[in-house]
Amino acid sequence: MITGATSGIGELAAIDLARRGAHLVLTARNAERAEQTVTHIRRVSPNTVIDIIDADFTDLASTRRAGMEINHRYARVDVLINNAGLHAMSQRTTVDGLPEMITVNYLAPWLLTGTVLPALRRAACARVVTVASEASRRHGTLRIPDDLTSTAPFNALQSSPLYGKSKLLDIMFTLELADRLAGTAISAMCLNPGYNTTGLGRELRFAAVLERILNVLGIGDPHNGANLIVRVGTDSGLQSGGYYSGKSARLLTPVPPADDPRTRRELWQATAELMAAKGYDGIYPGNAS
């Protein structure tokens, strides 16, 4: 199961996994782009089983419905890849009254993973892979729980630290999830895909021109990020709770406070309380509660 697979490194990862014989479940909120992705995959792997699940990660209710549908439709989920991401250049508020970039990049993966957890538990050995970023090292000051709900305006120049903060939250989520799932057959890990010339920065006015220049210079090949996603999703030699980067999938040490178990638990509790306030209580039962 892959989120954000209708473009960029997510689509490339889906194509690679199709070649390896995976049954793909892709989330999408745009039916036309989803069909285009299916066409791209079928060109290289005509017999791949591909299912599309409608999901809008700016909307918690849509995210929850997608997870519930997956639980009902499939006997198991072997690998969940939380890849969907957004680098917004200005503040937008979701239908839930939450900041859009934090919602798409962190709250939606937290909610989706918890909702799909029963299907992951039904697999003999399952894995949750979350695409983070070394942008997390430039996250400014982390404020829990305020950063989860703040809709204070920002401009393009102020967007990078906030994007980095959303990716810091992904790393903290992954490490805490790995701790909570210790002793089960589910592992959790995250990765830094490196710089990729994909649609993530599409809100920049000069994004298309910049992408063409970087492609000519051979910088930011999205296949590198996609290859790492596939490796972290399939390599049995990688450890749960790891944060990986580069062609060799080397282990990275997360920037503080992601390396602090107490702060990670504080973030988890704040997120659970926020979800409960929005009507989504008891998302992580059992070991991961």
Side-chain angles (χ1 to χ4, degrees):
M1 176 183 170
I2 313 176
T3 71
T6 57
S7 65
I9 61 175
E11 183 176 88
L12 293 174
I15 290 171
D16 191 350
L17 289 166
R19 288 193 182 105
R20 296 165 183 252
H23 173 176
L24 297 176
V25 179
L26 312 180
T27 65
R29 66 173 180 173
N30 183 303
E32 182 178 352
R33 287 176 62 181
E35 286 304 313
Q36 290 172 353
T37 295
V38 170
T39 299
H40 295 164
I41 295 171
R42 296 244 186 263
R43 285 174 184 163
V44 300
S45 184
N47 297 321
T48 296
V49 179
I50 310 170
D51 298 328
I52 303 296
I53 302 292
D54 180 66
D56 180 353
F57 295 129
T58 68
D59 183 341
L60 296 180
S62 176
T63 302
R64 177 68 165 166
R65 282 195 301 271
M68 296 288 286
E69 181 178 351
I70 288 161
N71 277 330
H72 291 147
R73 285 181 62 174
Y74 303 104
R76 70 180 194 276
V77 170
D78 298 294
V79 182
L80 165 61
I81 300 173
N82 290 312
N83 167 70
L86 169 72
H87 187 157
M89 297 299 152
S90 62
Q91 183 68 275
R92 293 187 292 266
T93 303
T94 71
V95 294
D96 300 290
L98 297 169
E100 183 186 51
M101 188 155 57
I102 291 292
T103 297
V104 173
N105 293 359
Y106 169 64
L107 294 176
W110 193 97
L111 177 60
L112 181 68
T113 301
T115 304
V116 175
L117 197 58
L120 291 162
R121 290 187 188 277
R122 293 195 293 268
C125 183
R127 184 170 300 193
V128 178
V129 177
T130 300
V131 177
S133 172
E134 281 291 80
S136 59
R137 298 191 181 276
R138 301 176 295 278
H139 64 77
T141 302
L142 181 63
R143 302 169 301 159
I144 303 173
D146 295 346
D147 283 328
L148 303 182
T149 58
S150 174
T151 55
F154 62 84
N155 57 39
L157 293 176
Q158 299 166 321
S159 68
S160 290
L162 292 173
Y163 173 76
K165 187 172 293 186
S166 72
K167 291 302 177 178
L168 173 73
L169 299 178
D170 283 336
I171 296 170
M172 296 174 71
F173 159 63
T174 299
L175 272 58
E176 181 64 17
L177 180 64
D179 285 346
R180 290 170 181 260
L181 292 173
T184 74
I186 307 173
S187 58
M189 50 199 72
C190 57
L191 62 97
N192 164 48
Y195 180 77
N196 298 274
T197 54
T198 66
L200 184 64
R202 57 188 173 270
E203 295 189 23
L204 285 170
R205 287 178 295 175
F206 55 86
V209 174
L210 177 62
E211 181 172 341
R212 286 196 294 270
I213 293 172
L214 293 174
N215 284 336
V216 169
L217 296 174
I219 299 172
D221 184 353
H223 288 87
N224 294 332
N227 291 343
L228 183 59
I229 290 174
V230 172
R231 179 167 181 184
V232 175
T234 60
D235 188 340
S236 60
L238 300 183
Q239 68 186 50
S240 186
Y243 173 36
Y244 296 96
S245 184
K247 293 181 179 180
S248 62
R250 69 184 185 278
L251 270 173
L252 295 179
T253 300
V255 66
D259 59 348
D260 179 17
R262 184 172 63 179
T263 306
R264 295 199 301 262
R265 289 192 295 270
E266 180 185 358
L267 172 64
W268 186 282
Q269 183 61 32
T271 306
E273 290 174 359
L274 173 60
M275 290 297 177
K278 296 296 181 181
Y280 307 105
D281 201 2
I283 298 300
Y284 285 86
N287 292 35
S289 62

